[in-house]
Structure formats: structure tokens, C-alpha cells
Amino acid sequence: MDKLSLLKTFCVVANEGSFTKAAEKLDTSNQLVSKYVAELEKQLDTRLFNRTTRKIHLTEAGQQCLQHAIHILESVTDMESQLGLLNTQAKGVLHVSAPVSFSTLHLASALSAFQQAHPHVSINLQLNDRKIDVIDEGFDVAIRAGHLANSSLVAKKITTIKLALCASPAYLEKYGTPQHPAELKPEHYLEYSYVNYDNDKSALIAALKANAQTLTPKLTANNGEVLTNVAKQGEGYVLQPTFIAGEALKNGELVSILDDFVPQAISLYAVYPHRKLISNKLRVFIDFLSSYFESTPYWDK
């Protein structure tokens, strides 16, 4: 006999507490239900139910068997659903939250390529650098950079993000090139509003935190492109990801300093609510972004 059918019948009997009710629910005969349960007991070599004239009760072995059976049947259902998704065309509206600068500089081209590959998926993109609540604000997925706190969300890495402490050649010529974070001038710090100083214990982060607490930074802004552009004018130094500062570093408008003290690379993640199965549109979106940006993104090559 099909063992999955035996397990399914057993679960229905256990939940209904009656062979008769189970037979009605399964639209089959009482005799066949009894036969399936008896066959399962025979295969497992244990009694699953204690039977009385009016009621049946799970034995201790039956209770353990029920937990295993539920898990097995759920796993089979998940497998069937997931494999079915592979043959289902991605379609529908995908609600996405993403950082401002990353989106304007790099995500736009990725979205264009994605929609050419998946024309039946519409994107509703909301840009925000703050940490939005994916569930409460109704997003399917959020693109986030940095260290993620433990939560009930699932995080899939998309790519690696390097950081750089930058200043213009004119600034370094005027004030000198620091050899240690302690030599940074607090009054010249260009601070990103959402920086989290507690996520890293490096000497550079400690110095930037101390500088921001000692004196009001020269400029504080919630946009990395603005800060980078101010740094290019020789007005101070800024810590930014290379997806923002990379072009200026390549063409010489900015110079990276204190490379030995810069924090380790962080990651760009796709974050979505914890579910057993994700929609096909979300699965192909995350897979596409991972393939598009690769482990070493194009702006660092």
C-alpha cells in the first residue's frame, strides 16, 4: 500500500477521533480506513490507537507517530508546491523597498533587465534609507545593506559591499594624509545620518564615533551621494560604500585613506518575511539580483 496514503489516513483518524468521521472526511468506507490504520500499525510494529466501544485514543507511540506523519506530509506538500513553481511563469506585483543611492545608481538598470526577462512581473519600488518594517508596511522584499539584527525575517545575500574612507586630493594636500584614525580632524567629518557605530568595533569606527561626539560634524546628511559630492569639493572626509564612491575613486576625484583601518566588507541582502514557500515572482527576483550583481559586483572590478 502507498505509505503516504496510510499516513494521511492515520492523521485524519487522529484528528477526528473516530474511524467513522475520518471515513466521511476522506469520502471512503469505514472498513478501508480501519484497514489502512491496521496496515500502518503492522508496518511500524506498534499499536497507534487504544480503542473502546465509544472512542479511540492515541497511544504514546501514536502521538509520536502523528508528529512525524504531519512533518512528512507537510514536506511532501512543500516539495510538490516548490517544484510546481519552477514550471509556473512569474507574474504579479512585487512590492520592493530599497536604499536610495543604491537604487538610483545601480538597481534601476537591474530592474530594467529583470523586467525584460520577466515581463509579467510589475515592480512597485519605494526608496528609503531607514530600516522599514517589511511585514507591517506590506513589502514583499527589502534590499538592505549592512549587518542584520536577528529577526523572524529571511535574509538572502545578493552581493558584497566594500567600504572606503575618502577625501579629495586637494583636502589631503591642504591638511595632510592621516596615518591613523586618531589623526582625523573631528571638525571635517562628513557624517551619514543612519550610520550605526555599534555594528563594528574597529579603530576607525571608534574614532568616527568619538569625533561625532566631540564636535558637531561639518555636515550630516541622510544621503551618501550628497556627502560624497561634498567630499569631492575638498570639504572633509567621508566613509561610504564603493557603490557610491567607486567612480570618484577610479577617476581620482577622491582618494581612499586609512585602508588598513577600514571595516571589513558588508553584504547587500534581500530580506523577506519568513514563510515555508516564497512566491515564484519573489524567488526569480532574488535569484536574478544575485546573478546580476555577482559575489564581486561590477563597480569593484
Side-chain angles (χ1 to χ4, degrees):
M1 292 183 184
D2 177 7
K3 188 164 287 187
L4 289 178
S5 296
L6 301 184
L7 292 175
K8 181 179 178 181
T9 301
F10 163 69
C11 288
V12 175
V13 173
N15 290 331
E16 296 295 325
S18 164
F19 284 87
T20 302
K21 291 181 180 179
E24 292 174 356
K25 186 154 190 171
L26 294 169
D27 193 23
T28 188
S29 67
N30 199 343
Q31 291 79 7
L32 188 58
V33 170
S34 298
K35 181 180 179 181
Y36 274 26
V37 171
E39 178 61 25
L40 183 60
E41 289 179 325
K42 178 181 178 181
Q43 291 188 15
L44 298 176
D45 192 26
T46 188
R47 179 177 289 277
L48 300 174
F49 293 104
N50 286 321
R51 300 163 174 83
T52 66
T53 56
R54 301 182 60 186
K55 190 76 173 174
I56 61 172
H57 301 277
L58 283 169
T59 62
E60 183 178 352
Q63 291 173 349
Q64 293 183 13
C65 180
L66 180 62
Q67 298 305 313
H68 287 295
I70 291 172
H71 176 71
I72 291 169
L73 294 173
E74 286 182 345
S75 297
V76 171
T77 300
D78 286 352
M79 178 189 69
E80 292 173 341
S81 299
Q82 196 68 278
L83 292 177
L85 285 175
L86 296 177
N87 298 318
T88 302
Q89 187 179 53
K91 59 184 178 180
V93 180
L94 199 61
H95 297 270
V96 181
S97 171
V100 177
S101 293
F102 178 77
S103 298
T104 57
L105 294 173
H106 304 288
L107 187 59
S109 59
L111 292 181
S112 176
F114 172 78
Q115 293 194 298
Q116 289 181 32
H118 301 280
H120 298 289
V121 178
S122 300
I123 303 292
N124 185 324
L125 178 66
Q126 300 292 321
L127 304 185
N128 205 314
D129 285 340
R130 67 177 174 83
K131 295 296 187 293
I132 59 95
D133 190 308
V134 178
I135 298 174
D136 286 352
E137 297 184 43
F139 288 100
D140 294 300
V141 62
I143 308 303
R144 291 181 180 172
H147 304 278
L148 300 180
N150 292 329
S151 71
S152 60
L153 302 176
V154 179
K156 299 290 187 181
K157 182 178 176 179
I158 294 175
T159 190
T160 300
I161 294 178
K162 292 182 179 179
L163 300 173
L165 186 68
C166 310
S168 71
Y171 175 89
L172 297 177
E173 183 178 353
K174 183 175 182 179
Y175 295 103
T177 301
Q179 303 301 311
H180 189 276
E183 298 175 15
L184 291 169
K185 299 183 182 298
E187 65 272 21
H188 295 167
Y189 179 32
L190 307 174
E191 183 185 44
Y192 178 57
S193 301
Y194 296 119
V195 65
N196 188 336
Y197 295 110
D198 298 326
N199 279 339
D200 194 284
K201 304 301 180 184
S202 67
L204 175 59
I205 294 298
L208 294 178
K209 180 179 181 180
N211 287 353
Q213 293 174 337
T214 302
L215 290 173
T216 301
K218 187 178 187 71
L219 172 65
T220 300
N222 64 353
N223 182 271
E225 290 176 86
V226 171
L227 294 168
T228 301
N229 287 333
V230 171
K232 288 193 293 186
Q233 305 307 313
E235 295 300 321
Y237 55 89
V238 64
L239 179 66
Q240 283 296 300
T242 55
F243 69 72
I244 292 179
E247 190 65 28
L249 289 170
K250 288 178 182 178
N251 62 29
E253 292 180 286
L254 290 176
V255 177
S256 62
I257 57 176
L258 299 178
D259 292 344
D260 292 340
F261 297 94
V262 171
Q264 292 184 342
I266 56 178
S267 296
L268 186 73
Y269 295 96
V271 182
Y272 58 91
H274 190 292
R275 302 185 181 116
K276 290 181 182 177
L277 295 173
I278 65 173
S279 64
N280 197 30
K281 62 185 177 182
L282 179 54
R283 178 182 60 79
V284 298
F285 180 70
I286 294 173
D287 289 346
F288 184 90
L289 292 185
S290 298
S291 176
Y292 186 89
F293 291 112
E294 304 181 317
S295 57
T296 300
Y298 60 82
W299 57 81
D300 283 333
K301 294 181 180 178

